[in-house]
Amino acid sequence: MSALARFFNRNNCKVFGYDLVSTLLTKKLESEKIQITYKDDSNEIPKEFLSENPEKTLIIYTPAIPKNNKIFNYFKENKYRLLKRSELLELVTGNTDTIAIAGTHGKTTVSSITAHIFSYSDKKIAAFVGGISKNTNLNIFLPENGEKVDTIIVEADEFDRSLLRLHPHTAVITAIDEDHLDIYADKEDLTNTFEKFTSQIKRSGFLLIKKNLKISGKYFPEKSFTYSIGEKADFYATNIRLDKESSIFDIVTPSFTIKDIKFKMSGELNIENATAAAGLATLFGIKPDRIKK
């Protein structure tokens, strides 16, 4: 949600929001001239957002907001246009090639590494990441100087089946573990949702999926690839060595091997996530030396 607030703020919109408590993140947003209240009272809404001009204000909400929230209900009762976060992402990504990172874990890490590689390689991207990236201290990536965006990177969240709002050019699926069973009847229901998601990938695009995930491939696009760590796949990490501060490994791709990548995030799961990001970069034509750097 804060990444979307920053997106609109940087596009010269007036942004106001509510959160339950003040945090380091909300203080940072306030320092960026985003108005925030921590009091659930419709009297806290600034004048320019009040119901005299509801058509000039768009309300974005998370499904996690309590149904009795007074600010939310003010906007609802006064016929403002209300969109869930996933519905807004559907609009924002509708006319731009989108990379959607899906899976029950690993989304934020793969998204942030992918956004980092693409930005470093001068790709004109926007990325909405579900956590704060340590190297930028932000959860949003945008091109400098207001340049036109060629590709959008988003997390495709399985909560509330939000991922089905997206029709991406390219998708990644990192994992399908039992999760959100308050939303899904069982593991099969969850898996079927991911399967339906694969049917929404553009036929000209790519699917990159962790090897050995138990999901039917009947809707996979023609250009589908696997990734793994230690086990042969279309993209896989091998020759893994660890030192005190980092991991060193090779990534094997269908066309070349990137040797001696030095990576400062520890753990095999993060190497696997980096392999997925490197696979995406390769599919989008980023050269191996840029990926390595």
Side-chain angles (χ1 to χ4, degrees):
M1 292 294 285
S2 57
L4 292 172
R6 282 174 159 144
F7 173 77
F8 283 109
N9 192 47
R10 292 184 185 197
N11 280 282
N12 300 314
C13 297
K14 292 180 181 177
V15 182
F16 162 73
Y18 161 80
D19 208 339
L20 185 64
V21 292
S22 174
T23 64
L24 287 173
L25 178 56
T26 59
K27 286 175 182 172
K28 186 79 171 61
L29 295 178
E30 289 178 292
S31 76
E32 295 167 21
K33 311 243 184 298
I34 292 173
Q35 302 176 73
I36 302 176
T37 184
Y38 305 96
K39 185 178 178 184
D40 182 19
D41 183 342
S42 61
N43 292 319
E44 293 286 300
I45 302 168
K47 283 184 187 175
E48 60 263 46
F49 298 102
L50 292 175
S51 59
E52 295 158 13
N53 295 299
E55 71 283 354
K56 292 184 179 178
T57 301
L58 178 64
I59 310 302
I60 315 302
Y61 69 98
T62 164
I65 198 81
K67 286 188 170 58
N68 62 353
N69 181 274
K70 295 183 180 67
I71 293 175
F72 175 77
N73 281 303
Y74 172 88
F75 290 127
K76 190 175 178 182
E77 288 161 9
N78 285 281
K79 309 284 191 265
Y80 284 73
R81 187 180 183 193
L82 290 98
L83 294 178
K84 291 182 186 177
R85 174 185 177 275
S86 58
E87 291 173 315
L88 179 68
L89 285 177
E90 179 183 13
L91 287 179
V92 169
T93 61
N95 295 314
T96 306
D97 281 349
T98 299
I99 299 172
I101 316 292
T104 48
H105 61 72
K107 290 187 293 293
T108 298
T109 310
V110 174
S111 298
S112 58
I113 300 170
T114 302
H116 172 63
I117 295 172
F118 277 55
S119 295
Y120 182 76
S121 304
D122 299 323
K123 295 283 189 183
K124 303 298 183 285
I125 64 153
F128 301 98
V129 180
I132 304 299
S133 186
K134 286 187 178 180
N135 58 322
T136 63
N137 202 32
L138 292 169
N139 52 2
I140 188 169
F141 291 73
L142 291 170
E144 294 180 6
N145 307 318
E147 294 172 290
K148 184 178 182 297
V149 170
D150 296 324
T151 306
I152 297 176
I153 299 166
V154 297
E155 295 185 30
D157 193 358
E158 71 279 1
F159 177 76
D160 199 31
R161 303 181 199 265
S162 293
L163 75 172
L164 297 181
R165 288 274 175 189
L166 300 172
H167 293 77
H169 173 277
T170 292
V172 176
I173 301 178
T174 62
I176 306 175
D177 299 326
E178 286 190 41
D179 200 4
H180 299 305
L181 294 183
D182 53 332
I183 303 290
Y184 297 96
D186 50 30
K187 174 80 178 288
E188 183 180 4
D189 185 22
L190 176 66
T191 303
N192 289 342
T193 298
F194 277 98
E195 185 177 295
K196 186 176 180 184
F197 173 65
T198 66
S199 74
Q200 298 179 185
I201 301 167
K202 299 281 171 35
R203 295 301 94 185
S204 59
F206 307 109
L207 171 64
L208 183 59
I209 186 166
K210 184 180 172 183
K211 190 171 182 180
N212 296 328
L213 286 189
K214 292 180 179 176
I215 178 173
S216 165
K218 65 181 177 179
Y219 297 127
F220 286 9
E222 184 179 341
K223 299 176 202 168
S224 295
F225 303 88
T226 58
Y227 74 94
S228 74
I229 178 171
E231 180 183 0
K232 285 190 177 180
D234 295 308
F235 299 89
Y236 65 97
T238 188
N239 193 23
I240 297 166
R241 292 142 284 161
L242 306 175
D243 64 23
K244 289 181 182 178
E245 296 182 348
S246 58
S247 310
I248 302 167
F249 55 95
D250 303 340
I251 292 180
V252 180
T253 82
S255 304
F256 50 79
T257 298
I258 312 174
K259 292 193 171 183
D260 300 325
I261 295 172
K262 191 166 186 178
F263 189 56
K264 291 186 177 178
M265 294 175 71
S266 61
E268 289 194 347
L269 190 55
N270 281 322
I271 295 173
E272 184 177 86
N273 291 331
T275 302
L280 281 171
T282 302
L283 294 172
F284 275 75
I286 295 175
K287 301 297 183 188
D289 62 321
R290 300 298 287 179
I291 296 169
K292 181 175 179 178
K293 285 179 182 178

